[in-house]
């Protein structure tokens, strides 16, 4: 037995090869061996075995191994590396985070029949009810596309499990409310949002009428007129049909139980299902989209409730492709959307001024109600910085704001004195009155604007005494500017692509000044200086941890800074002289380590005793990648 548990680097190649054969045999004959046979192995051998097991085997073993104090983290990381490739950075430090990522990636692929090289290699282990059941118990987000008919038939127990587990639903296809085949998707949405625990919705497509259907009754009191016509025209006829068929099948019993009972016999009488379409006098088919009627139609007889279905509440809404039509639907719903806590809008192109003003009016109406819950707001892309002030003025209770700004070089522009701007008290929003105190705790500003209004940004900082997280990307900070007095309470600071050293003749001195300022922020634990052309000046950052008051930073991102191997080695030498007080997560991605692999690896070896390193492969023959990293 001592030979069995020796460290792998003490074994001969022949011993290692034999061990691999044994691990593969355990994987293939796991069902015959049983879980106890694996648990009886010595701990070092179990740890070596984990990366060779299937996803379902890892899931089954995890509870028992955890009781023995053994983590399955290495096994889940092994799966991720197999799926994503050796050069992909895997930043999941806990067992549950790594497991969730595996299940998240695989569930959608397997459920909808999609494939990739990993799925092809492992299809016999993945294309099983047991895998889908295990994954469904783990995932928190469900991506709705088509088809989903199986969730209303043989996989109904899976739908019932998803209702209990899924907190976030994504819609990746436009649902045509006029077509009968989409009613199944509407029913699944209804079950997850209204009968389930899902509170977050992510819409990936432009489909205003579908958005109206989703928002209807789930927080806002507004009813879209077009949707009202679809839902309630001849609704009584549909309900009458559904009731008729329900009566016919009142004595039938469901053939599905609320669990994964694979051995259940199939003797139950199937329940009759009412037709969801009817024909008017012209002979054209009409379809019901009313969630209540859909639910009575699709739900098995013994699962139907006597009363009306509940209405869920959407607390977090994200629209990935928010065009003007979708925004109009949202703006109508916002004034009474009291349960909404977080709103994220991504425009297909830059938002028009009129779009932003309409949104601001709706947000203003919502904020004026004491029932409003909105605290998180994310908007991209705005045409210029001052519209950010209008949104702040319209949402005075927001504690987290993320905006992306990109200059519009064409089309009509509203000036600050324009009447439509005046409606929203723009002077107050842009200038920020001296006595105004913003409740902001998190602020992220990504800028791709020729002339950034730095005075406005710094004014926001000065009036945000509760700010703990600041992300700035793309902003060109002026020479000699120092806002350290504004950052005293920050936990997280990101200056990405700000060209911090661009205008300084003595770049090392400039970076030393920044380091000195950051060391005065005792609460700071996350710092990102990615894409800032630090290059050879990266060595200065080691001074963060020098002196009697070292920085408390625990995560440092210096990716995409064109740091070459010799420069990283010098950084490692200085950091070893003044090691961080806490284990430091160091992001080194997108730096040209392959220009001198031996020196690069030597630097990584010196850093590993006190750093968790995030690195990935770099191909210096790709000159465009080099150029982008050093832009």
């Amino acid at each position: 037995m001592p030979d069995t548990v020796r460290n792998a680097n003490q074994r001969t190649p022949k011993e290692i090869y034999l061990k691999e054969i044994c691990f593969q045999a355990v994987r293939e004959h796991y069902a015959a061996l049983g879980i106890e046979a694996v648990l009886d192995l010595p701990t070092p051998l179990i740890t070596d075995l984990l990366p060779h097991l299937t996803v379902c085997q890892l899931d089954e073993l995890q509870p028992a191994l955890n009781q023995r104090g053994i983590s399955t983290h290495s096994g889940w990381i092994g799966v991720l590396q197999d799926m994503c490739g050796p050069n992909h950075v895997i930043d999941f430090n806990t067992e549950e985070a790594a497991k969730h990522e595996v299940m998240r990636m695989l569930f959608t692929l397997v459920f909808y029949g999609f494939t990739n090289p990993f799925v092809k290699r492992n299809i016999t282990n993945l294309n099983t009810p047991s895998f889908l059941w295990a994954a469904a118990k783990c995932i928190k987000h469900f991506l709705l596309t088509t088809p989903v008919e199986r969730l209303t038939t043989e996989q109904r127990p899976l739908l019932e499990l998803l209702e209990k587990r899924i907190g976030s639903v994504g819609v990746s296809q436009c649902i045509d409310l006029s077509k009968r085949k989409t009613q199944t998707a509407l029913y699944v949405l209804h079950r997850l949002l209204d009968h389930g625990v899902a509170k977050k919705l992510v819409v990936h497509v432009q489909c205003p009428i579908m958005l109206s259907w989703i928002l209807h009754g789930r927080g806002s009191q507004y009813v879209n007129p077009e949707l009202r016509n679809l839902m309630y025209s001849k609704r009584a006829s549909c309900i009458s049909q559904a009731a008729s068929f329900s009566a016919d099948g009142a004595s039938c019993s469901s053939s599905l139980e609320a669990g994964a009972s694979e051995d259940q016999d199939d003797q139950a009488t199937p329940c009759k299902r009412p037709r969801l379409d009817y024909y008017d006098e012209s002979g054209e088919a009409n379809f019901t989209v009313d969630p209540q009627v859909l639910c009575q139609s699709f739900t098995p007889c013994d699962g139907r409730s006597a009363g009306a279905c509940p209405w869920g509440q959407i607390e977090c809404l994200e629209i990935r492709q928010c065009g003007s039509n979708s925004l109009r639907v949202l703006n109508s719903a916002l004034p009474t959307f009291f349960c909404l806590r977080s709103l994220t809008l991504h425009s297909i192109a830059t938002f028009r001024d009129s779009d932003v003003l309409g949104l601001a009016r709706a947000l203003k109406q919502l904020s004026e109600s004491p029932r409003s819950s909105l605290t998180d707001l994310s908007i991209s892309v705005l045409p210029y910085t001052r519209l950010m002030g209008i949104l702040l003025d319209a949402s005075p209770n927001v504690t987290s704001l993320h905006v992306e700004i990109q200059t519009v070089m064409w089309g009509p522009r509203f000036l600050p004195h324009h009447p439509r701007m005046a409606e929203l008290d723009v002077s107050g929003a842009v200038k920020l009155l001296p006595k105004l105190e913003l409740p902001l705790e998190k602020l992220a500003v990504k800028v791709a604007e020729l002339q950034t209004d730095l005075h406005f940004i710094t004014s926001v900082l000065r009036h945000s005494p509760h700010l703990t997280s600041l992300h700035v990307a793309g902003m060109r900070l002026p020479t000699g500017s120092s806002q350290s007095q504004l950052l005293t309470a920050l936990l997280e600071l990101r200056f990405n692509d700000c060209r911090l050293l661009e205008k300084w003749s003595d770049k090392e001195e400039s970076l030393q000044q920044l380091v000195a300022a950051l060391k005065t922020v005792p609460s700071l634990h996350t710092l990102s200086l990615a894409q800032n052309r630090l290059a050879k000046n990266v060595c200065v950052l080691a001074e963060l941890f020098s002196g009697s008051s070292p920085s408390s930073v625990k995560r440092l991102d210096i990716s995409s800074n064109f740091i070459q191997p010799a420069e990283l080695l010098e950084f490692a030498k200085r950091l070893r002289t003044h090691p961080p007080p806490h284990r430091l997560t160091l992001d080194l991605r997108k730096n040209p380590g392959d220009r001198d692999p031996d020196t690069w690896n030597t630097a990584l070896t010196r850093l590993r005793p006190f750093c968790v390193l995030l690195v990935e492969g770099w191909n210096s023959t790709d000159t465009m990648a080099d150029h982008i990293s050093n832009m």
Side-chain angles (χ1 to χ4, degrees):
M1 186 61 69
D3 289 339
T4 307
V5 297
R6 278 187 301 164
N7 192 290
N9 60 16
Q10 297 176 328
R11 297 187 181 93
T12 66
K14 186 176 181 179
E15 287 178 308
I16 295 174
Y17 180 65
L18 179 60
K19 182 179 176 184
E20 297 292 323
I21 293 175
C22 293
F23 286 162
Q24 191 62 35
V26 172
R27 173 190 171 107
E28 292 178 5
H29 303 285
Y30 176 86
L33 291 170
I35 187 173
E36 293 300 328
V38 176
L39 295 176
D40 287 341
L41 294 173
T43 298
L45 202 56
I46 291 177
T47 302
D48 291 344
L49 170 66
L50 291 176
H52 298 268
L53 298 177
T54 69
V55 170
C56 286
Q57 290 166 2
L58 282 171
D59 178 68
E60 183 181 0
L61 281 168
Q62 181 176 327
L65 291 179
N66 288 166
Q67 287 185 350
R68 284 183 54 181
I70 303 173
S71 171
T72 58
H73 181 259
S74 63
W76 297 113
I77 292 296
V79 175
L80 286 173
Q81 289 174 336
D82 195 7
M83 293 173 63
C84 304
N87 292 331
H88 182 81
V89 172
I90 298 173
D91 188 14
F92 298 99
N93 297 324
T94 67
E95 181 182 48
E96 284 304 315
K99 177 181 178 179
H100 178 266
E101 182 66 6
V102 169
M103 296 301 198
R104 182 193 68 80
M105 295 175 68
L106 288 177
F107 180 86
T108 300
L109 291 172
V110 176
F111 179 77
Y112 290 111
F114 303 148
T115 189
N116 64 15
F118 179 86
V119 173
K120 287 181 180 178
R121 291 194 305 271
N122 295 274
I123 190 63
T124 56
N125 301 312
L126 295 174
N127 193 20
T128 64
S130 60
F131 166 74
L132 288 176
W133 191 261
K137 289 192 295 183
C138 183
I139 62 174
K140 302 173 184 176
H141 179 78
F142 179 80
L143 184 65
L144 179 73
T145 183
T146 54
V148 290
E149 279 75 15
R150 288 182 300 165
L151 288 177
T152 65
T153 54
E154 72 269 17
Q155 289 186 340
R156 178 172 292 278
L158 186 63
L159 176 60
E160 295 170 357
L161 176 62
L162 292 173
E163 289 176 21
K164 300 173 183 176
R165 300 283 182 168
I166 294 298
S168 171
V169 178
V171 181
S172 63
Q173 288 185 344
C174 186
I175 300 176
D176 188 345
L177 301 190
S178 67
K179 294 185 177 179
R180 183 166 60 90
K181 66 179 182 180
T182 63
Q183 291 183 313
T184 308
L186 295 180
Y187 169 70
V188 171
L189 271 177
H190 163 64
R191 294 299 305 189
L192 295 176
L193 293 174
D194 298 330
H195 292 267
V197 297
K199 301 294 183 183
K200 178 179 180 179
L201 177 72
V202 183
V203 181
H204 296 266
V205 292
Q206 276 201 95
C207 193
I209 189 62
M210 178 192 72
L211 181 63
S212 296
W213 186 91
I214 292 174
L215 297 183
H216 173 70
R218 297 180 177 94
S220 175
Q221 300 172 14
Y222 175 77
V223 180
N224 181 285
E226 184 180 356
L227 179 65
R228 181 188 290 112
N229 292 336
L230 279 173
M231 287 186 64
Y232 298 115
S233 62
K234 300 183 180 180
R235 178 175 183 268
S237 176
C238 292
I239 295 176
S240 176
Q241 260 199 11
S244 174
F245 278 93
S246 296
D248 291 342
S251 62
C252 71
S253 60
S254 173
S255 63
L256 294 162
E257 300 295 335
S261 53
E262 299 176 3
D263 299 327
Q264 178 181 355
D265 57 25
D266 213 6
Q267 303 301 317
T269 305
C271 179
K272 290 185 179 180
R273 175 168 293 159
R275 293 182 59 178
L276 301 178
D277 58 315
Y278 63 93
Y279 292 84
D280 58 21
E281 295 177 357
S282 66
E284 294 183 355
N286 291 277
F287 308 95
T288 177
V289 295
D290 188 323
Q292 308 279 334
V293 179
L294 286 172
C295 198
Q296 290 296 317
S297 302
F298 277 103
T299 303
C301 301
D302 62 352
R304 294 176 186 167
S305 58
C309 294
W311 288 98
Q313 290 195 330
I314 297 173
E315 297 180 357
C316 181
L317 175 63
E318 181 174 351
I319 305 177
R320 294 282 178 89
Q321 295 186 24
C322 189
S324 295
N325 292 335
S326 294
L327 194 58
R328 278 194 288 271
V329 170
L330 176 64
N331 288 344
S332 298
L334 272 177
T336 56
F337 210 151
F338 302 129
C339 62
L340 188 66
R341 299 180 184 277
S342 175
L343 176 63
T344 300
L345 304 176
H346 301 276
S347 58
I348 301 170
T350 304
F351 279 119
R352 298 180 301 181
D353 296 48
S354 56
D355 290 335
V356 181
L357 293 175
L359 174 64
R361 277 191 290 270
L363 290 171
K364 187 76 171 177
Q365 288 179 268
L366 176 62
S367 69
E368 289 172 349
S369 170
R371 298 171 60 189
S372 173
S373 304
L374 187 65
T375 56
D376 294 6
L377 181 62
S378 177
I379 310 289
S380 61
V381 177
L382 297 178
Y384 46 91
T385 310
R386 284 174 292 177
L387 287 174
M388 174 181 162
I390 293 175
L391 294 173
L392 278 171
D393 180 63
S395 310
N397 299 319
V398 162
T399 59
S400 176
L401 177 67
H402 179 112
V403 295
E404 185 174 340
I405 303 160
Q406 185 171 345
T407 302
V408 174
M409 302 301 295
W410 58 88
R413 289 279 298 272
F414 292 128
L415 298 177
H417 61 269
H418 191 280
R420 296 181 73 175
M421 292 284 200
E423 293 177 20
L424 290 151
D425 189 17
V426 176
S427 60
V430 173
K431 294 179 182 178
L432 288 176
L433 299 177
K435 293 184 179 180
L436 179 63
E437 181 178 298
L438 297 172
L440 282 178
E441 297 174 6
K442 299 180 180 180
L443 175 64
V445 183
K446 183 177 180 180
V447 178
E449 192 176 21
L450 294 180
Q451 295 294 329
T452 304
D453 190 348
L454 289 173
H455 295 295
F456 170 72
I457 300 297
T458 54
S459 181
V460 171
L461 294 178
R462 292 181 185 280
H463 291 85
S464 305
H466 308 291
L467 198 68
T468 59
S469 176
L470 175 63
H471 297 197
V472 177
M475 190 176 297
R476 302 299 179 253
L477 301 178
T479 302
S481 67
S482 175
Q483 301 295 338
S484 60
Q485 70 275 17
L486 306 178
L487 311 177
T488 54
L490 285 184
L491 300 174
E492 183 174 358
L493 178 62
R494 298 181 184 270
F495 284 145
N496 291 0
D497 190 24
C498 292
R499 302 193 180 185
L500 295 172
L501 311 181
E502 186 176 64
K503 296 183 179 181
W504 288 79
S505 56
D506 189 337
K507 300 186 185 308
E508 184 172 337
E509 180 185 355
S510 168
L511 197 53
Q512 286 173 342
Q513 291 182 16
L514 176 62
V515 167
L518 294 175
K519 291 175 70 173
T520 65
V521 187
S523 56
L524 190 66
H525 62 65
T526 299
L527 174 64
S528 176
L529 301 176
Q531 295 177 274
N532 275 293
R533 299 183 178 183
L534 297 181
K536 64 180 181 181
N537 299 292
V538 68
C539 305
V540 176
L541 294 180
E543 297 179 16
L544 277 167
F545 308 105
S546 65
S548 58
S549 301
S551 173
S552 56
V553 166
K554 298 179 182 178
R555 188 180 184 98
L556 177 61
D557 184 353
I558 49 176
S559 60
S560 300
N561 271 295
F562 207 68
I563 301 167
Q564 300 207 44
E567 295 157 357
L568 184 65
L569 182 58
E570 180 60 28
F571 172 76
K573 291 177 180 177
R574 296 194 188 186
L575 202 60
R576 289 186 71 180
T577 304
H578 305 288
H582 308 282
R583 191 162 179 81
L584 179 68
T585 297
L586 185 63
D587 194 337
L588 297 171
R589 287 175 284 188
K590 294 184 174 64
N591 286 300
D594 72 331
R595 295 198 169 187
D596 185 351
D598 291 339
T599 302
W600 183 264
N601 290 330
T602 299
L604 297 182
T605 300
R606 295 193 178 190
L607 289 168
R608 282 195 174 97
F610 40 86
C611 293
V612 175
L613 301 177
L614 304 181
V615 293
E616 66 183 0
W618 172 280
N619 184 3
S620 290
T621 60
D622 188 347
T623 55
M624 179 55 71
D626 278 13
H627 171 69
I628 292 173
S629 176
N630 201 30
M631 284 180 62

